[in-house]
Amino acid sequence: MASNERNQPLGGNAMPRFGGPATMMRLPSQTDATGLDAAFVGVPLDIGTSNRPGTRLGPRQIRDESRMLRPYNMATGAAPFDALQVADIGDVPINTFDLKKSVDIIEAFHAEIIATGCRPLTLGGDHTLTLPILRAMARRHGPVGLIHVDAHADTNEHMFGEAIAHGTPFRRAIEEGLIDTPRMIQIGLRGTGYTADDFDWARQQGARVVPAEQCWHKSLSPLMAETREQVGGGPVYLSFDIDSLDPGFAPGTGTAEIAGLTPPQALEIVRGCRGLDLVGADLVEVAPPYDPSGNTALLGANLLYEMLCVLPGVTYRE
């Protein structure tokens, strides 16, 4: 397919930035992933949250704030729309009154995307959504490597006695054999805990854990070089919780923790995934009610674009 036949974001000189379609990057929309190399898909979910709700509104605001994004990555040279066919395929029709049913709906929806050979970039929504996506991924690829960027480990045994919630997805995923744990890394964990070993469970399963304190005052490019060595050699999934960033940069989230990552560090992490067999990614926990400025969603939109830029097959201009 010639590059001029591939979908392109609607430019700001063809339509004012505040007009046009309410899709990710003002891309064309379609109802499924047929014919696509990558798809943006929303999961408007917040019934798995444990503190402040509102992430059901995240996908819509991320799309709104994405209207400033342009096709070419001036920093890295990535030209994703020159090589990939990309569209916005809308939202997963979750059951907002039943979390367990919603998990099944999310899995089935993503399985259909993956079956076409398309790589999903998912706009969240609370972090519960990553478990059903990983279930769909494992059905296609087997256990995947995982780069998990977050303030929280999300490896709780239960929350209020429930096995499924936004604080449990990676414990369930490891228990179910969805993740190749020696190829798993968690970056940015911080804050207080219920026990002294709250962050140790994933380590005990073979994963690497990098607390936020180990990221302070430094570039994360060297860490990502180590990460590529660790998680490479097979399919990899990237799950990026916006609360990994310091709430001074990203206040629009439900479980904020101080002293987090900076936006440049977030970019280093995502750009550091270049060269991996990235089979999909998500950006979760954007809760618009707590950030009327839209800056949290703006960060999320840019990180999703950067995820698109590091997918396999993307061409780079010198």
Side-chain angles (χ1 to χ4, degrees):
M1 184 185 298
S3 60
N4 60 1
E5 295 174 356
R6 295 186 180 93
N7 294 338
Q8 299 291 323
L10 181 60
N13 292 317
M15 169 68 71
R17 291 286 174 193
F18 43 82
T23 56
M24 185 68 184
M25 295 186 69
R26 305 197 304 176
L27 282 162
S29 62
Q30 60 184 63
T31 57
D32 59 34
T34 303
L36 299 180
D37 299 302
F40 292 106
V41 54
V43 180
L45 178 78
D46 67 3
I47 51 175
T49 56
S50 58
N51 187 32
R52 302 186 298 193
T55 52
R56 67 180 61 186
L57 305 174
R60 181 166 294 193
Q61 194 186 42
I62 291 169
R63 287 182 172 110
D64 186 28
E65 295 299 337
S66 76
R67 66 187 184 270
M68 277 296 294
L69 291 168
R70 304 171 185 87
Y72 296 103
N73 191 320
M74 305 307 289
T76 68
F81 302 101
D82 283 5
L84 304 182
Q85 180 70 320
V86 188
D88 187 327
I89 62 171
D91 289 338
V92 176
I94 60 109
N95 181 334
T96 198
F97 304 108
D98 192 315
L99 182 58
K100 293 181 176 67
K101 287 182 179 177
S102 293
V103 165
D104 291 341
I105 293 166
I106 295 164
E107 179 182 353
F109 196 100
H110 280 77
E112 290 183 3
I113 296 171
I114 297 164
T116 69
C118 177
R119 299 172 195 257
L121 299 171
T122 303
L123 293 62
D126 76 58
H127 222 152
T128 311
L129 64 85
T130 305
L131 175 61
I133 295 174
L134 288 173
R135 287 173 173 170
M137 288 288 172
R139 283 163 52 188
R140 172 85 172 193
H141 301 289
V144 297
L146 179 73
I147 300 172
H148 171 209
V149 190
D150 204 324
H152 310 99
D154 291 351
T155 54
N156 293 350
E157 176 69 36
H158 294 95
M159 300 187 80
F160 278 90
E162 295 294 328
I164 304 293
H166 78 157
T168 69
F170 299 105
R171 193 179 191 103
R172 298 290 89 82
I174 291 172
E175 290 172 345
E176 294 176 20
L178 312 179
I179 298 170
D180 181 6
T181 48
R183 295 197 301 120
M184 173 180 175
I185 184 168
Q186 297 183 306
I187 301 171
L189 307 192
R190 63 188 189 278
T192 51
Y194 289 107
T195 69
D197 59 357
D198 270 6
F199 294 163
D200 290 343
W201 189 84
R203 283 193 186 101
Q204 293 162 359
Q205 316 312 309
R208 181 179 180 185
V209 176
V210 182
E213 288 79 4
Q214 294 181 15
C215 302
W216 289 353
H217 315 303
K218 65 178 69 170
S219 166
L220 298 189
S221 292
L223 172 64
M224 292 311 297
E226 296 171 4
T227 297
R228 288 191 299 275
E229 287 293 318
Q230 177 188 346
V231 307
V236 180
Y237 189 81
L238 170 63
S239 186
F240 202 114
D241 190 323
I242 201 70
D243 72 24
S244 62
L245 282 101
D246 187 86
F249 300 111
T253 194
T255 49
E257 306 280 3
I258 68 162
L261 304 178
T262 67
Q265 289 177 318
L267 289 177
E268 287 178 324
I269 291 171
V270 179
R271 291 174 181 175
C273 294
R274 181 181 175 184
L276 296 173
D277 181 15
L278 205 63
V279 292
D282 61 53
L283 188 289
V284 301
E285 297 286 356
V286 172
Y290 313 108
D291 185 4
S293 73
N295 280 347
T296 306
L298 178 65
L299 264 169
N302 276 271
L303 291 173
L304 282 156
Y305 168 72
E306 295 281 346
M307 292 172 189
L308 174 66
C309 288
V310 294
L311 290 183
V314 169
T315 56
Y316 283 74
R317 296 187 170 206
E318 297 300 328

